[in-house]
mmCIF file of all heavy atoms in Angstrom:
data_model
loop_
_atom_site.group_PDB
_atom_site.id
_atom_site.type_symbol
_atom_site.label_atom_id
_atom_site.label_comp_id
_atom_site.label_asym_id
_atom_site.label_seq_id
_atom_site.Cartn_x
_atom_site.Cartn_y
_atom_site.Cartn_z
ATOM 1 N N TYR A 33 1.561 10.709 -9.607
ATOM 2 C CA TYR A 33 1.725 12.160 -9.457
ATOM 3 C C TYR A 33 1.964 12.469 -7.984
ATOM 4 O O TYR A 33 1.466 11.760 -7.104
ATOM 5 C CB TYR A 33 0.469 12.915 -9.903
ATOM 6 C CG TYR A 33 0.244 12.994 -11.394
ATOM 7 C CD1 TYR A 33 1.008 12.272 -12.303
ATOM 8 C CD2 TYR A 33 -0.766 13.802 -11.912
ATOM 9 C CE1 TYR A 33 0.782 12.358 -13.666
ATOM 10 C CE2 TYR A 33 -0.998 13.898 -13.282
ATOM 11 C CZ TYR A 33 -0.221 13.177 -14.142
ATOM 12 O OH TYR A 33 -0.460 13.265 -15.494
ATOM 13 N N TYR A 37 -0.164 20.582 -1.251
ATOM 14 C CA TYR A 37 -1.355 21.383 -1.038
ATOM 15 C C TYR A 37 -1.119 22.295 0.163
ATOM 16 O O TYR A 37 -0.449 21.934 1.124
ATOM 17 C CB TYR A 37 -2.574 20.502 -0.746
ATOM 18 C CG TYR A 37 -3.209 19.872 -1.953
ATOM 19 C CD1 TYR A 37 -2.772 18.632 -2.419
ATOM 20 C CD2 TYR A 37 -4.251 20.495 -2.626
ATOM 21 C CE1 TYR A 37 -3.362 18.042 -3.522
ATOM 22 C CE2 TYR A 37 -4.848 19.910 -3.729
ATOM 23 C CZ TYR A 37 -4.397 18.679 -4.173
ATOM 24 O OH TYR A 37 -4.980 18.106 -5.264
ATOM 25 N N GLN A 39 -3.224 24.435 3.117
ATOM 26 C CA GLN A 39 -4.522 24.558 3.770
ATOM 27 C C GLN A 39 -4.459 25.671 4.805
ATOM 28 O O GLN A 39 -3.975 25.485 5.914
ATOM 29 C CB GLN A 39 -4.948 23.242 4.431
ATOM 30 C CG GLN A 39 -6.370 23.271 4.958
ATOM 31 C CD GLN A 39 -6.804 21.954 5.576
ATOM 32 O OE1 GLN A 39 -6.044 21.320 6.290
ATOM 33 N NE2 GLN A 39 -8.041 21.535 5.295
ATOM 34 N N SER A 42 -8.887 28.867 6.712
ATOM 35 C CA SER A 42 -10.207 28.754 6.093
ATOM 36 C C SER A 42 -10.547 27.320 5.732
ATOM 37 O O SER A 42 -11.688 26.996 5.408
ATOM 38 C CB SER A 42 -10.283 29.624 4.823
ATOM 39 O OG SER A 42 -9.444 29.068 3.803
ATOM 40 N N ARG A 43 -9.557 26.447 5.773
ATOM 41 C CA ARG A 43 -9.680 24.989 5.559
ATOM 42 C C ARG A 43 -9.713 24.556 4.093
ATOM 43 O O ARG A 43 -9.703 23.375 3.810
ATOM 44 C CB ARG A 43 -10.907 24.406 6.270
ATOM 45 C CG ARG A 43 -10.919 24.549 7.756
ATOM 46 C CD ARG A 43 -11.895 23.557 8.379
ATOM 47 N NE ARG A 43 -13.242 23.708 7.864
ATOM 48 C CZ ARG A 43 -14.184 24.413 8.474
ATOM 49 N NH1 ARG A 43 -13.905 25.059 9.569
ATOM 50 N NH2 ARG A 43 -15.390 24.498 7.957
ATOM 51 N N GLN A 44 -9.774 25.484 3.170
ATOM 52 C CA GLN A 44 -9.851 25.065 1.770
ATOM 53 C C GLN A 44 -8.474 24.635 1.270
ATOM 54 O O GLN A 44 -7.515 25.393 1.343
ATOM 55 C CB GLN A 44 -10.385 26.199 0.903
ATOM 56 C CG GLN A 44 -10.633 25.779 -0.543
ATOM 57 C CD GLN A 44 -11.445 26.796 -1.286
ATOM 58 O OE1 GLN A 44 -11.446 27.968 -0.953
ATOM 59 N NE2 GLN A 44 -12.157 26.358 -2.308
ATOM 60 N N MET A 45 -8.398 23.433 0.770
ATOM 61 C CA MET A 45 -7.160 22.895 0.209
ATOM 62 C C MET A 45 -6.866 23.583 -1.120
ATOM 63 O O MET A 45 -7.704 23.591 -2.018
ATOM 64 C CB MET A 45 -7.295 21.399 -0.055
ATOM 65 C CG MET A 45 -7.240 20.545 1.169
ATOM 66 S SD MET A 45 -5.540 20.330 1.679
ATOM 67 C CE MET A 45 -5.766 19.049 2.912
ATOM 68 N N LEU A 47 -4.115 23.796 -4.290
ATOM 69 C CA LEU A 47 -2.984 23.150 -4.936
ATOM 70 C C LEU A 47 -1.835 24.147 -5.102
ATOM 71 O O LEU A 47 -2.018 25.229 -5.651
ATOM 72 C CB LEU A 47 -3.391 22.608 -6.306
ATOM 73 C CG LEU A 47 -2.281 21.926 -7.113
ATOM 74 C CD1 LEU A 47 -1.772 20.694 -6.391
ATOM 75 C CD2 LEU A 47 -2.794 21.565 -8.509
ATOM 76 N N ARG A 50 2.556 20.574 -8.622
ATOM 77 C CA ARG A 50 2.359 19.182 -9.014
ATOM 78 C C ARG A 50 3.603 18.669 -9.741
ATOM 79 O O ARG A 50 4.235 19.407 -10.501
ATOM 80 C CB ARG A 50 1.148 19.068 -9.941
ATOM 81 C CG ARG A 50 0.857 17.664 -10.412
ATOM 82 C CD ARG A 50 -0.404 17.600 -11.236
ATOM 83 N NE ARG A 50 -0.154 17.889 -12.638
ATOM 84 C CZ ARG A 50 -1.093 17.797 -13.573
ATOM 85 N NH1 ARG A 50 -2.316 17.456 -13.256
ATOM 86 N NH2 ARG A 50 -0.801 18.062 -14.822
ATOM 87 N N MET A 89 -1.073 25.142 6.879
ATOM 88 C CA MET A 89 -0.694 23.720 6.894
ATOM 89 C C MET A 89 -0.371 23.329 5.462
ATOM 90 O O MET A 89 -1.090 23.706 4.526
ATOM 91 C CB MET A 89 -1.847 22.859 7.396
ATOM 92 C CG MET A 89 -2.031 22.869 8.884
ATOM 93 S SD MET A 89 -0.721 22.004 9.749
ATOM 94 C CE MET A 89 -1.101 20.306 9.355
ATOM 95 N N PHE A 91 0.363 20.031 2.983
ATOM 96 C CA PHE A 91 0.224 18.588 2.865
ATOM 97 C C PHE A 91 0.876 18.102 1.578
ATOM 98 O O PHE A 91 0.649 18.662 0.496
ATOM 99 C CB PHE A 91 -1.254 18.185 2.856
ATOM 100 C CG PHE A 91 -1.950 18.383 4.160
ATOM 101 C CD1 PHE A 91 -2.670 19.535 4.412
ATOM 102 C CD2 PHE A 91 -1.892 17.406 5.143
ATOM 103 C CE1 PHE A 91 -3.317 19.726 5.631
ATOM 104 C CE2 PHE A 91 -2.526 17.583 6.360
ATOM 105 C CZ PHE A 91 -3.240 18.748 6.600
ATOM 106 N N ARG A 95 -0.732 10.608 -5.797
ATOM 107 C CA ARG A 95 -1.936 10.231 -6.528
ATOM 108 C C ARG A 95 -1.726 8.918 -7.263
ATOM 109 O O ARG A 95 -0.814 8.793 -8.083
ATOM 110 C CB ARG A 95 -2.351 11.296 -7.528
ATOM 111 C CG ARG A 95 -3.704 10.961 -8.186
ATOM 112 C CD ARG A 95 -4.320 12.135 -8.848
ATOM 113 N NE ARG A 95 -5.738 11.965 -9.003
ATOM 114 C CZ ARG A 95 -6.523 12.810 -9.643
ATOM 115 N NH1 ARG A 95 -6.012 13.907 -10.166
ATOM 116 N NH2 ARG A 95 -7.815 12.582 -9.750
ATOM 117 N N ILE A 96 -2.597 7.966 -6.939
ATOM 118 C CA ILE A 96 -2.602 6.690 -7.638
ATOM 119 C C ILE A 96 -3.204 6.924 -9.015
ATOM 120 O O ILE A 96 -4.294 7.475 -9.140
ATOM 121 C CB ILE A 96 -3.454 5.660 -6.870
ATOM 122 C CG1 ILE A 96 -2.890 5.457 -5.459
ATOM 123 C CG2 ILE A 96 -3.537 4.353 -7.622
ATOM 124 C CD1 ILE A 96 -3.779 4.645 -4.559
ATOM 125 N N LEU A 97 -2.480 6.537 -10.065
ATOM 126 C CA LEU A 97 -2.990 6.763 -11.411
ATOM 127 C C LEU A 97 -3.768 5.576 -11.953
ATOM 128 O O LEU A 97 -4.739 5.748 -12.694
ATOM 129 C CB LEU A 97 -1.841 7.085 -12.368
ATOM 130 C CG LEU A 97 -1.094 8.393 -12.102
ATOM 131 C CD1 LEU A 97 -0.049 8.616 -13.168
ATOM 132 C CD2 LEU A 97 -2.051 9.568 -12.041
ATOM 133 N N TYR A 98 -3.363 4.392 -11.580
ATOM 134 C CA TYR A 98 -3.993 3.195 -12.128
ATOM 135 C C TYR A 98 -4.700 2.471 -11.007
ATOM 136 O O TYR A 98 -4.148 2.249 -9.952
ATOM 137 C CB TYR A 98 -2.955 2.307 -12.807
ATOM 138 C CG TYR A 98 -2.222 3.049 -13.895
ATOM 139 C CD1 TYR A 98 -0.958 3.584 -13.665
ATOM 140 C CD2 TYR A 98 -2.809 3.261 -15.128
ATOM 141 C CE1 TYR A 98 -0.295 4.287 -14.655
ATOM 142 C CE2 TYR A 98 -2.152 3.962 -16.124
ATOM 143 C CZ TYR A 98 -0.897 4.470 -15.881
ATOM 144 O OH TYR A 98 -0.251 5.176 -16.856
ATOM 145 N N GLN A 100 -8.116 2.345 -8.430
ATOM 146 C CA GLN A 100 -8.560 3.234 -7.352
ATOM 147 C C GLN A 100 -8.868 4.654 -7.824
ATOM 148 O O GLN A 100 -8.834 5.595 -7.038
ATOM 149 C CB GLN A 100 -7.538 3.261 -6.206
ATOM 150 C CG GLN A 100 -7.250 1.894 -5.613
ATOM 151 C CD GLN A 100 -6.419 1.963 -4.371
ATOM 152 O OE1 GLN A 100 -6.790 2.623 -3.410
ATOM 153 N NE2 GLN A 100 -5.295 1.269 -4.359
ATOM 154 N N GLY A 101 -9.113 4.809 -9.109
ATOM 155 C CA GLY A 101 -9.656 6.049 -9.648
ATOM 156 C C GLY A 101 -8.959 7.343 -9.313
ATOM 157 O O GLY A 101 -9.601 8.362 -9.085
ATOM 158 N N GLY A 102 -7.648 7.346 -9.293
ATOM 159 C CA GLY A 102 -6.952 8.590 -9.039
ATOM 160 C C GLY A 102 -7.011 9.025 -7.587
ATOM 161 O O GLY A 102 -6.972 10.212 -7.278
ATOM 162 N N LYS A 103 -7.076 8.074 -6.701
ATOM 163 C CA LYS A 103 -7.163 8.371 -5.266
ATOM 164 C C LYS A 103 -5.953 9.152 -4.779
ATOM 165 O O LYS A 103 -4.824 8.856 -5.139
ATOM 166 C CB LYS A 103 -7.267 7.052 -4.511
ATOM 167 C CG LYS A 103 -7.329 7.162 -2.995
ATOM 168 C CD LYS A 103 -7.457 5.769 -2.391
ATOM 169 C CE LYS A 103 -7.465 5.815 -0.882
ATOM 170 N NZ LYS A 103 -7.624 4.453 -0.309
ATOM 171 N N LEU A 104 -6.180 10.168 -3.960
ATOM 172 C CA LEU A 104 -5.124 10.963 -3.340
ATOM 173 C C LEU A 104 -4.839 10.430 -1.945
ATOM 174 O O LEU A 104 -5.768 10.231 -1.161
ATOM 175 C CB LEU A 104 -5.542 12.426 -3.220
ATOM 176 C CG LEU A 104 -5.251 13.384 -4.362
ATOM 177 C CD1 LEU A 104 -5.804 14.757 -4.038
ATOM 178 C CD2 LEU A 104 -3.766 13.479 -4.647
ATOM 179 N N PHE A 106 -2.737 11.458 1.432
ATOM 180 C CA PHE A 106 -2.101 12.620 2.045
ATOM 181 C C PHE A 106 -1.154 12.223 3.169
ATOM 182 O O PHE A 106 -1.353 11.216 3.858
ATOM 183 C CB PHE A 106 -3.163 13.558 2.633
ATOM 184 C CG PHE A 106 -3.969 14.298 1.615
ATOM 185 C CD1 PHE A 106 -5.105 13.742 1.066
ATOM 186 C CD2 PHE A 106 -3.588 15.570 1.208
ATOM 187 C CE1 PHE A 106 -5.862 14.434 0.127
ATOM 188 C CE2 PHE A 106 -4.336 16.273 0.274
ATOM 189 C CZ PHE A 106 -5.472 15.697 -0.269
ATOM 190 N N GLY A 107 -0.140 13.060 3.376
ATOM 191 C CA GLY A 107 0.700 12.953 4.553
ATOM 192 C C GLY A 107 0.026 13.612 5.744
ATOM 193 O O GLY A 107 -1.111 14.103 5.642
ATOM 194 N N GLN A 108 0.725 13.658 6.865
ATOM 195 C CA GLN A 108 0.134 14.166 8.099
ATOM 196 C C GLN A 108 0.123 15.688 8.170
ATOM 197 O O GLN A 108 -0.538 16.273 9.022
ATOM 198 C CB GLN A 108 0.896 13.616 9.312
ATOM 199 C CG GLN A 108 1.011 12.106 9.347
ATOM 200 C CD GLN A 108 2.265 11.602 8.664
ATOM 201 O OE1 GLN A 108 2.711 12.141 7.634
ATOM 202 N NE2 GLN A 108 2.870 10.578 9.231
ATOM 203 N N GLY A 109 0.903 16.311 7.323
ATOM 204 C CA GLY A 109 0.916 17.764 7.287
ATOM 205 C C GLY A 109 2.075 18.393 8.051
ATOM 206 O O GLY A 109 2.592 17.815 9.012
ATOM 207 N N ARG B 9 -20.983 25.072 7.380
ATOM 208 C CA ARG B 9 -19.561 25.226 7.679
ATOM 209 C C ARG B 9 -19.241 24.651 9.053
ATOM 210 O O ARG B 9 -18.160 24.107 9.276
ATOM 211 C CB ARG B 9 -19.179 26.692 7.635
ATOM 212 C CG ARG B 9 -19.077 27.233 6.230
ATOM 213 C CD ARG B 9 -17.663 27.092 5.689
ATOM 214 N NE ARG B 9 -16.769 28.057 6.319
ATOM 215 C CZ ARG B 9 -15.445 27.939 6.319
ATOM 216 N NH1 ARG B 9 -14.875 26.886 5.768
ATOM 217 N NH2 ARG B 9 -14.684 28.845 6.885
ATOM 218 N N TYR B 10 -20.168 24.823 9.969
ATOM 219 C CA TYR B 10 -19.989 24.317 11.331
ATOM 220 C C TYR B 10 -21.292 23.647 11.783
ATOM 221 O O TYR B 10 -22.376 24.107 11.456
ATOM 222 C CB TYR B 10 -19.651 25.454 12.302
ATOM 223 C CG TYR B 10 -18.417 26.229 11.939
ATOM 224 C CD1 TYR B 10 -18.501 27.361 11.126
ATOM 225 C CD2 TYR B 10 -17.167 25.844 12.401
ATOM 226 C CE1 TYR B 10 -17.363 28.070 10.785
ATOM 227 C CE2 TYR B 10 -16.025 26.555 12.063
ATOM 228 C CZ TYR B 10 -16.127 27.659 11.256
ATOM 229 O OH TYR B 10 -14.998 28.364 10.923
ATOM 230 N N TYR B 33 -15.697 13.578 -4.424
ATOM 231 C CA TYR B 33 -15.025 12.880 -3.322
ATOM 232 C C TYR B 33 -15.483 13.466 -1.988
ATOM 233 O O TYR B 33 -15.632 14.682 -1.847
ATOM 234 C CB TYR B 33 -13.509 13.080 -3.391
ATOM 235 C CG TYR B 33 -12.850 12.812 -4.726
ATOM 236 C CD1 TYR B 33 -12.943 13.723 -5.773
ATOM 237 C CD2 TYR B 33 -12.090 11.664 -4.937
ATOM 238 C CE1 TYR B 33 -12.318 13.505 -6.993
ATOM 239 C CE2 TYR B 33 -11.447 11.430 -6.157
ATOM 240 C CZ TYR B 33 -11.570 12.359 -7.177
ATOM 241 O OH TYR B 33 -10.937 12.140 -8.384
ATOM 242 N N TYR B 35 -13.939 13.465 1.846
ATOM 243 C CA TYR B 35 -12.776 13.162 2.664
ATOM 244 C C TYR B 35 -13.073 13.486 4.124
ATOM 245 O O TYR B 35 -13.773 14.453 4.433
ATOM 246 C CB TYR B 35 -11.553 13.987 2.233
ATOM 247 C CG TYR B 35 -10.825 13.477 1.021
ATOM 248 C CD1 TYR B 35 -11.224 13.833 -0.269
ATOM 249 C CD2 TYR B 35 -9.715 12.644 1.146
ATOM 250 C CE1 TYR B 35 -10.538 13.369 -1.380
ATOM 251 C CE2 TYR B 35 -9.029 12.168 0.031
ATOM 252 C CZ TYR B 35 -9.450 12.540 -1.223
ATOM 253 O OH TYR B 35 -8.781 12.088 -2.324
ATOM 254 N N GLN B 37 -11.172 14.598 7.610
ATOM 255 C CA GLN B 37 -9.921 15.143 8.113
ATOM 256 C C GLN B 37 -10.006 15.305 9.630
ATOM 257 O O GLN B 37 -10.682 16.203 10.140
ATOM 258 C CB GLN B 37 -9.575 16.478 7.462
ATOM 259 C CG GLN B 37 -8.205 16.998 7.871
ATOM 260 C CD GLN B 37 -7.805 18.267 7.146
ATOM 261 O OE1 GLN B 37 -8.630 18.986 6.603
ATOM 262 N NE2 GLN B 37 -6.504 18.557 7.129
ATOM 263 N N GLY B 40 -5.319 17.817 13.013
ATOM 264 C CA GLY B 40 -3.888 17.613 12.906
ATOM 265 C C GLY B 40 -3.461 16.501 11.974
ATOM 266 O O GLY B 40 -2.300 16.091 11.985
ATOM 267 N N GLN B 41 -4.379 16.022 11.140
ATOM 268 C CA GLN B 41 -4.085 14.931 10.216
ATOM 269 C C GLN B 41 -4.390 15.339 8.784
ATOM 270 O O GLN B 41 -5.068 16.334 8.524
ATOM 271 C CB GLN B 41 -4.917 13.695 10.571
ATOM 272 C CG GLN B 41 -4.662 13.165 11.972
ATOM 273 C CD GLN B 41 -3.286 12.581 12.121
ATOM 274 O OE1 GLN B 41 -2.780 11.894 11.234
ATOM 275 N NE2 GLN B 41 -2.634 12.870 13.237
ATOM 276 N N GLY B 42 -3.877 14.541 7.851
ATOM 277 C CA GLY B 42 -4.233 14.757 6.456
ATOM 278 C C GLY B 42 -5.577 14.122 6.144
ATOM 279 O O GLY B 42 -6.029 13.224 6.855
ATOM 280 N N PRO B 43 -6.247 14.587 5.096
ATOM 281 C CA PRO B 43 -7.540 14.019 4.723
ATOM 282 C C PRO B 43 -7.430 12.555 4.311
ATOM 283 O O PRO B 43 -6.423 12.139 3.743
ATOM 284 C CB PRO B 43 -7.969 14.885 3.532
ATOM 285 C CG PRO B 43 -7.167 16.139 3.643
ATOM 286 C CD PRO B 43 -5.866 15.724 4.241
ATOM 287 N N ARG B 48 -15.914 7.911 -3.171
ATOM 288 C CA ARG B 48 -15.741 8.598 -4.444
ATOM 289 C C ARG B 48 -16.881 8.216 -5.374
ATOM 290 O O ARG B 48 -17.235 7.044 -5.486
ATOM 291 C CB ARG B 48 -14.409 8.225 -5.080
ATOM 292 C CG ARG B 48 -14.186 8.825 -6.468
ATOM 293 C CD ARG B 48 -12.772 8.501 -6.976
ATOM 294 N NE ARG B 48 -12.585 7.068 -7.179
ATOM 295 C CZ ARG B 48 -12.817 6.441 -8.332
ATOM 296 N NH1 ARG B 48 -13.278 7.117 -9.376
ATOM 297 N NH2 ARG B 48 -12.582 5.147 -8.441
ATOM 298 N N VAL B 89 -13.367 17.390 10.394
ATOM 299 C CA VAL B 89 -13.779 18.198 9.243
ATOM 300 C C VAL B 89 -14.078 17.248 8.086
ATOM 301 O O VAL B 89 -13.303 16.326 7.807
ATOM 302 C CB VAL B 89 -12.681 19.193 8.831
ATOM 303 C CG1 VAL B 89 -13.053 19.909 7.526
ATOM 304 C CG2 VAL B 89 -12.448 20.218 9.939
ATOM 305 N N LEU B 91 -14.500 17.111 4.191
ATOM 306 C CA LEU B 91 -14.159 17.861 2.985
ATOM 307 C C LEU B 91 -14.785 17.211 1.757
ATOM 308 O O LEU B 91 -14.785 15.994 1.624
ATOM 309 C CB LEU B 91 -12.645 17.894 2.777
ATOM 310 C CG LEU B 91 -11.802 18.675 3.776
ATOM 311 C CD1 LEU B 91 -10.327 18.386 3.555
ATOM 312 C CD2 LEU B 91 -12.056 20.166 3.639
ATOM 313 N N VAL B 102 -6.830 7.507 -17.631
ATOM 314 C CA VAL B 102 -6.240 7.654 -16.309
ATOM 315 C C VAL B 102 -6.770 8.955 -15.681
ATOM 316 O O VAL B 102 -6.849 9.993 -16.343
ATOM 317 C CB VAL B 102 -4.700 7.694 -16.399
ATOM 318 C CG1 VAL B 102 -4.096 8.018 -15.044
ATOM 319 C CG2 VAL B 102 -4.177 6.364 -16.909
ATOM 320 N N ASN B 103 -7.122 8.866 -14.418
ATOM 321 C CA ASN B 103 -7.731 10.009 -13.743
ATOM 322 C C ASN B 103 -6.660 10.960 -13.240
ATOM 323 O O ASN B 103 -6.066 10.749 -12.188
ATOM 324 C CB ASN B 103 -8.606 9.527 -12.590
ATOM 325 C CG ASN B 103 -9.490 10.630 -12.042
ATOM 326 O OD1 ASN B 103 -9.338 11.797 -12.396
ATOM 327 N ND2 ASN B 103 -10.413 10.266 -11.179
ATOM 328 N N THR B 104 -6.388 11.995 -13.988
ATOM 329 C CA THR B 104 -5.358 12.962 -13.597
ATOM 330 C C THR B 104 -5.930 14.360 -13.423
ATOM 331 O O THR B 104 -5.177 15.310 -13.229
ATOM 332 C CB THR B 104 -4.230 13.023 -14.651
ATOM 333 O OG1 THR B 104 -4.797 13.421 -15.907
ATOM 334 C CG2 THR B 104 -3.547 11.679 -14.801
ATOM 335 N N GLY B 105 -7.263 14.494 -13.496
ATOM 336 C CA GLY B 105 -7.875 15.802 -13.353
ATOM 337 C C GLY B 105 -7.631 16.383 -11.979
ATOM 338 O O GLY B 105 -7.690 15.677 -10.969
ATOM 339 N N GLU B 106 -7.353 17.661 -11.918
ATOM 340 C CA GLU B 106 -7.084 18.326 -10.640
ATOM 341 C C GLU B 106 -8.306 18.270 -9.747
ATOM 342 O O GLU B 106 -9.429 18.485 -10.199
ATOM 343 C CB GLU B 106 -6.682 19.775 -10.873
ATOM 344 C CG GLU B 106 -6.385 20.541 -9.571
ATOM 345 C CD GLU B 106 -5.992 21.981 -9.828
ATOM 346 O OE1 GLU B 106 -5.686 22.318 -10.986
ATOM 347 O OE2 GLU B 106 -6.013 22.780 -8.864
ATOM 348 N N LEU B 107 -8.091 17.994 -8.476
ATOM 349 C CA LEU B 107 -9.152 18.027 -7.485
ATOM 350 C C LEU B 107 -9.302 19.442 -6.952
ATOM 351 O O LEU B 107 -8.314 20.097 -6.612
ATOM 352 C CB LEU B 107 -8.846 17.087 -6.310
ATOM 353 C CG LEU B 107 -9.316 15.643 -6.413
ATOM 354 C CD1 LEU B 107 -8.533 14.907 -7.488
ATOM 355 C CD2 LEU B 107 -9.202 14.948 -5.076
ATOM 356 N N PHE B 109 -11.191 21.529 -3.916
ATOM 357 C CA PHE B 109 -11.782 21.258 -2.620
ATOM 358 C C PHE B 109 -12.703 22.392 -2.176
ATOM 359 O O PHE B 109 -12.474 23.569 -2.483
ATOM 360 C CB PHE B 109 -10.690 21.089 -1.560
ATOM 361 C CG PHE B 109 -9.953 19.783 -1.648
ATOM 362 C CD1 PHE B 109 -8.899 19.631 -2.534
ATOM 363 C CD2 PHE B 109 -10.323 18.711 -0.857
ATOM 364 C CE1 PHE B 109 -8.212 18.421 -2.622
ATOM 365 C CE2 PHE B 109 -9.639 17.506 -0.934
ATOM 366 C CZ PHE B 109 -8.593 17.360 -1.816
ATOM 367 N N GLY B 110 -13.719 22.015 -1.392
ATOM 368 C CA GLY B 110 -14.536 22.997 -0.699
ATOM 369 C C GLY B 110 -13.878 23.392 0.611
ATOM 370 O O GLY B 110 -12.779 22.931 0.938
ATOM 371 N N GLU B 111 -14.557 24.243 1.365
ATOM 372 C CA GLU B 111 -13.990 24.730 2.628
ATOM 373 C C GLU B 111 -14.252 23.787 3.792
ATOM 374 O O GLU B 111 -13.778 24.012 4.886
ATOM 375 C CB GLU B 111 -14.549 26.119 2.938
ATOM 376 C CG GLU B 111 -14.074 27.182 1.947
ATOM 377 C CD GLU B 111 -14.579 28.556 2.319
ATOM 378 O OE1 GLU B 111 -15.788 28.696 2.592
ATOM 379 O OE2 GLU B 111 -13.763 29.504 2.328
ATOM 380 N N GLY B 112 -15.008 22.747 3.550
ATOM 381 C CA GLY B 112 -15.222 21.750 4.582
ATOM 382 C C GLY B 112 -16.334 22.080 5.559
ATOM 383 O O GLY B 112 -16.741 23.243 5.712
ATOM 384 N N ARG B 114 -17.113 21.511 9.561
ATOM 385 C CA ARG B 114 -16.517 21.075 10.831
ATOM 386 C C ARG B 114 -17.615 20.565 11.739
ATOM 387 O O ARG B 114 -18.539 21.306 12.091
ATOM 388 C CB ARG B 114 -15.769 22.209 11.516
ATOM 389 C CG ARG B 114 -15.138 21.774 12.844
ATOM 390 C CD ARG B 114 -14.422 22.915 13.536
ATOM 391 N NE ARG B 114 -13.273 23.380 12.777
ATOM 392 C CZ ARG B 114 -12.088 22.807 12.807
ATOM 393 N NH1 ARG B 114 -11.880 21.726 13.540
ATOM 394 N NH2 ARG B 114 -11.093 23.306 12.096
#
Side-chain angles (χ1 to χ4, degrees):
Chain A
Y33 286 9
Y37 281 89
Q39 188 178 42
S42 69
R43 299 199 303 264
Q44 186 167 26
M45 285 281 191
L47 179 63
R50 180 176 86 175
M89 282 290 288
F91 291 95
R95 186 163 202 185
I96 300 170
L97 295 183
Y98 303 100
Q100 303 189 57
K103 178 179 178 179
L104 271 178
F106 288 87
Q108 306 91 323
Chain B
R9 285 269 287 161
Y10 302 91
Y33 310 76
Y35 280 86
Q37 186 175 20
Q41 300 292 319
R48 176 175 65 91
V89 173
L91 293 170
V102 173
N103 192 351
T104 60
E106 180 180 346
L107 271 68
F109 286 83
E111 293 183 312
R114 180 181 295 278

